[in-house]
Amino acid sequence: MSTAKRAPAQNLLIAALSPEDRLRLLGDHSPIDLGFSDTLVESGDRIRHVYFPIDSFISLITPGAGRAQLEIGLVGNEGMLGVPLLLGVNVSPLRALVQGAGHAWRIDTAHFIRVIESHAGIRASLNRYLYVFLSQLMQTATCTRFHLIEARLARWLLMTRDRAHSSQFHITHEFLAYMLGVRRVGVTSAASALQRRKLIRYSRGDLAILDVRGLERTACACYALDKKIYSRILKKAPVPAAGIDPGTRLLAGRIVSAITC
Ligand SMILES: [Zn+2]
């Protein structure tokens, strides 16, 4: 996705760590470039790396054939890719595609596991993000079942804007169809409705948000709820880390299944 960015300097989860913990987690890793549409991991694959986006962002897509694929999460500089490792599982349940090109910290799985197993403070911080991530998945289950396509499109475009750090971006019909889990014709009609109301301009994949407030009023309540949970949970001091029990792992798997069944 090409954007005129107000590029963030750092991933917020990394920035929230103490300087010592930041060094422990990042080790001698350097930020890498992620290219638009790169696949970072396929569903069912072993997780080889953890990614902390800086000015890139990543789309999380459920496994399925053709139109049965649905984007159920977006990870930008507010989050990380690789949360199953916090649950003690090294297999990805989702496909991760780069939707916004840019930089990200990429950390080897073995190093990441060593660090979270030996530093409770780092694990506790990242567990708070895990909670936010699961809350967002639950919200997406409700959103996909009950909210209208136009309101859902408005929500996803605002989420994309937040992670792209720009009101203009390139977004393909394929990604819009993943966002909504509908056919191309449904995407075109929802985008046209937003365009007629002068909330967006969309032509040949170039999308510009013209009226942020108007788009916020059109979006379903899920957008505001996600942001509220994020700021409530991640801006608090972390509680001591606890191990993850198998019940929590099972719950995470069931939430993903509930969204797509
Ligand atoms: Zn919704």
Side-chain angles (χ1 to χ4, degrees):
M1 182 175 297
S2 55
T3 55
K5 291 185 179 188
R6 306 180 303 274
Q10 187 51 283
N11 176 282
L12 298 179
L13 299 178
I14 299 284
L17 298 174
S18 68
E20 298 77 23
D21 281 347
R22 212 174 300 156
L23 266 178
R24 282 185 188 110
L25 183 62
L26 298 178
D28 55 4
H29 296 82
S30 306
I32 61 152
D33 284 327
L34 300 181
F36 177 63
S37 232
D38 283 355
T39 299
L40 302 181
V41 67
E42 287 286 357
S43 153
D45 281 359
R46 197 158 66 79
I47 300 172
R48 296 177 187 280
H49 300 103
V50 178
Y51 294 85
F52 290 89
I54 299 171
D55 58 352
S56 57
F57 61 102
I58 301 161
S59 186
L60 304 177
I61 297 162
T62 54
R67 289 196 305 270
Q69 298 178 83
L70 177 69
E71 181 180 74
I72 58 161
L74 270 178
V75 180
N77 80 315
E78 84 300 340
M80 61 174 275
L81 178 70
V83 290
L85 297 173
L86 294 166
L87 295 161
V89 177
N90 68 353
V91 176
S92 175
L94 300 165
R95 182 175 172 217
L97 267 181
V98 177
Q99 201 186 128
H103 302 93
W105 292 101
R106 186 178 74 176
I107 298 173
D108 298 336
T109 292
H111 173 79
F112 181 80
I113 291 173
R114 265 197 309 277
V115 170
I116 60 169
E117 283 182 349
S118 55
H119 295 89
I122 298 176
R123 185 173 200 141
S125 292
L126 299 179
N127 275 349
R128 296 180 79 78
Y129 173 69
L130 174 62
Y131 174 90
V132 169
F133 180 77
L134 291 177
S135 302
Q136 287 176 351
L137 288 186
M138 289 182 220
Q139 200 57 46
T140 297
T142 309
C143 192
T144 308
R145 173 66 181 85
F146 293 111
H147 298 159
L148 298 175
I149 293 178
E150 204 179 309
R152 286 169 51 208
L153 177 58
R155 175 197 178 202
W156 281 105
L157 292 179
L158 288 165
M159 289 171 66
T160 303
R161 174 185 178 270
D162 292 345
R163 288 156 181 81
H165 304 278
S166 171
S167 286
Q168 293 180 39
F169 37 85
H170 189 80
I171 191 161
T172 61
H173 258 84
E174 184 192 18
F175 270 124
L176 285 176
Y178 285 152
M179 277 183 183
L180 302 172
V182 296
R183 297 177 190 202
R184 203 183 160 95
V185 63
V187 168
T188 306
S189 118
S192 302
L194 297 181
Q195 199 153 222
R196 276 196 302 277
R197 293 170 59 196
K198 299 193 172 17
L199 301 175
I200 63 165
R201 190 175 56 234
Y202 184 52
S203 170
R204 294 185 183 153
D206 289 323
L207 194 140
I209 295 178
L210 305 176
D211 177 357
V212 176
R213 297 289 161 258
L215 206 56
E216 283 174 350
R217 282 193 295 274
T218 304
C220 52
C222 303
Y223 175 66
L225 272 169
D226 277 351
K227 288 186 88 153
K228 201 167 147 189
I229 290 173
Y230 187 91
S231 60
R232 198 176 74 218
I233 301 303
L234 285 176
K235 287 183 180 162
K236 280 184 181 170
V239 292
I244 305 287
D245 64 276
T248 309
R249 256 177 239 148
L250 195 64
L251 172 68
R254 280 187 181 163
I255 292 169
V256 173
S257 305
I259 294 168
T260 47
C261 82

